[in-house]
Amino acid sequence: MACTSGLASWSRLLARPVSRALRPLALHSRLTPGAARQLAAEAPAQRQHWRTAAAAVDAEQQVAASQQQQQGGAAAPLRDVVEVLRSRGLLQDVTSLELGSASNHEQLLAYCGFDPTAESLHLGNLLGIIVLAWFQRCGHVPVALLGGATGRVGDPSGKSAERPVLSEEVIERNVAGIERTLRTLLRPPPGSGLAEPLVLNNLDWYGPMGLLTFLREIGKYARVGTMLAKESVRKRMESESGISYTEFTYQLLQGYDFVHMRRQFGVRVQVGGSDQWGNILAGTDLMRRMMGGPEEAEEAAGSTNGSISSSGGSISISAVAAADDSAGAPPSSSSSEGFVSEQCFGLTFPLLLKADGSKFGKSESGALWLNADMLSPYQFYQNLFKTTDEDVVKFLRMLTFLSLEEVAAIAASMQSPGYVANTAQRRLAEEVTRFVHGEEGLAQAIKTTEALAPGAATKLDADSLEDIAGDAPSASLPREQLVGALLADVMVAVGMQPSKGAVRRMIKGGGVRVNNEKVDDELAVLAEEDLIDGRLLLIATGKKNKMLVRVAA
């Protein structure tokens, strides 16, 4: 099958008129009070209708961009993605090993979901992005699904209590921030022949869907016994807080995401972390029940205990070739027209764990965010640089795109007599920082790292000092207490030493630096030129004890 066949069918599914939905509402200049009230009541639904139609236009434009990108260079050759992921330690479970053969012969669309629980994704989410990137590099189309709807419900998986409810404004802000990150990290290099990512938001199909529609068209295929048997649900039901109906339905929402994207875009693979295995199986089960053909769907609807074993196995489903044009209304499964037998797959990757079993990606100050506004490239780089020797080779396989031969060579070099300590860690930090923050972010991280090394020739600047703000304590003093003041007085004022005598003894012993330059004078006085950018000063005692002093506003 040609490499672009998946995109071709995807484009056909989207080729439907949307101009009528996008026409502005014609308003009369004068409205009766009753008409005004009716218009106000209909406004939210109308806005959602426009949003759904606009999303369809956006998806069509993304298809066109992906096709143009692949036409701009030789299409990436198809590869067995299962074997690639297994060799890199990125495969935990798969519903059928036939995914390997399928990925080697036809272009697939694979999706991973990201709920907007924060404004930024973190290092744990990066694994999902990397798995999508490997699908992309193996000639397939990555699909990133934003949980604009599911984020309003909350996934109970791995949680001992219900997630806090976020406001609409916060959710929309989080969605926008995560979308920027996903588009940036999955954007292929020009001329690479790799497919552009498709970025979707499940609020676009759940937003206009009414409760009765959901229950009638989707809920009737769900088996309560199967839903109750999920480990995440069972644990919460046994807990003191229990589980709300809202969170209980999460697995059904996630399951229908897969069904909807299979129908509308031809998505045939869902990937997620190992804690999502139950939800992924719920999706493949719902897929079988809703899209398994008239006879199978009727039998599934009448069943009381249907389920899919978590041990995997081939899951054969039938797909509807024609998409439903009505926004938010799932296509009926009662028609036998347009059914073709194709297989869909679920796949999970392991959690990112250190050798001691704890999660990798947590720092003393919290999560390792991917957004530079929440965690600077320098801090991101430093946390990766601190990886232990026991973990670094494993993380080089999982978190980078280095060839396995190069990773093996790095591992072998660590056992050689001339190995320079932390060389492997430095390579890990460089590769992952480059992928997340680009060449510019990596350059800033390296510059700051070098500038902060004791005795470094690299001159400190304001950007470098701002980068360490999260790693070093800080204090603020009025300008008159800094310029012209004794260094000893300043160090006592910010709490670095208990007395001026202690400061003088440290200076005499060569243990004090200002802006990374050694201080020799026990009676040193700070000058205006010591303030970097006229507002920052870095004082250090020893290698690790640093204080960032700011000029108070």
Side-chain angles (χ1 to χ4, degrees), residues 272-420:
S274 57
D275 59 343
Q276 292 296 307
W277 183 240
N279 289 339
I280 289 175
L281 290 180
T284 53
D285 186 29
L286 188 64
M287 182 88 70
R288 176 178 62 83
R289 295 174 183 278
M290 294 188 69
M291 301 178 67
E295 297 80 14
E296 187 175 347
E298 185 177 351
E299 178 183 352
S303 172
T304 58
N305 58 357
S307 64
I308 296 177
S309 169
S310 62
S311 60
S314 176
I315 302 173
S316 182
I317 59 95
S318 298
V320 179
D324 182 12
D325 287 337
S326 59
S332 172
S333 58
S334 60
S335 172
S336 61
E337 296 181 4
F339 280 93
V340 293
S341 179
E342 283 187 319
Q343 197 169 3
C344 287
F345 307 90
L347 176 152
T348 63
F349 48 84
L351 299 178
L352 199 59
L353 301 178
K354 296 186 286 188
D356 61 7
S358 61
K359 282 187 179 181
F360 182 66
K362 297 284 186 179
S363 67
E364 293 180 1
S365 56
L368 298 186
W369 302 109
L370 305 186
N371 189 330
D373 294 335
M374 298 176 68
L375 188 76
S376 72
Y378 163 76
Q379 293 169 303
F380 186 82
Y381 177 98
Q382 285 299 313
N383 277 282
L384 289 161
F385 186 78
K386 295 173 185 176
T387 302
T388 64
D389 286 347
E390 291 79 11
D391 293 319
V392 67
V393 174
K394 171 186 174 182
F395 293 161
L396 279 167
R397 281 197 301 267
M398 296 178 73
L399 294 173
T400 77
F401 299 96
L402 296 176
S403 69
L404 292 177
E405 292 76 15
E406 188 168 359
V407 173
I410 293 173
S413 71
M414 293 176 67
Q415 308 304 320
S416 65
Y419 175 72
V420 178

Side-chain angles (χ1 to χ4, degrees), residues 33 231 262 267 406 410 433 453 533 553:
E231 184 179 4
R262 175 67 186 95
V267 175
E406 188 168 359
I410 293 173
T433 304
D533 199 26

Side-chain angles (χ1 to χ4, degrees), residues 439-489:
E439 291 291 349
E440 184 177 347
L442 174 60
Q444 181 61 39
I446 293 175
K447 177 184 176 182
T448 303
T449 299
E450 292 175 347
L452 291 173
T458 305
K459 193 172 182 62
L460 284 173
D461 57 20
D463 288 338
S464 297
L465 291 184
E466 292 290 2
D467 278 347
I468 70 166
D471 286 348
S474 62
S476 297
L477 289 176
R479 185 177 296 273
E480 56 270 20
Q481 291 186 28
L482 288 170
V483 178
L486 287 171
L487 174 60
D489 289 338

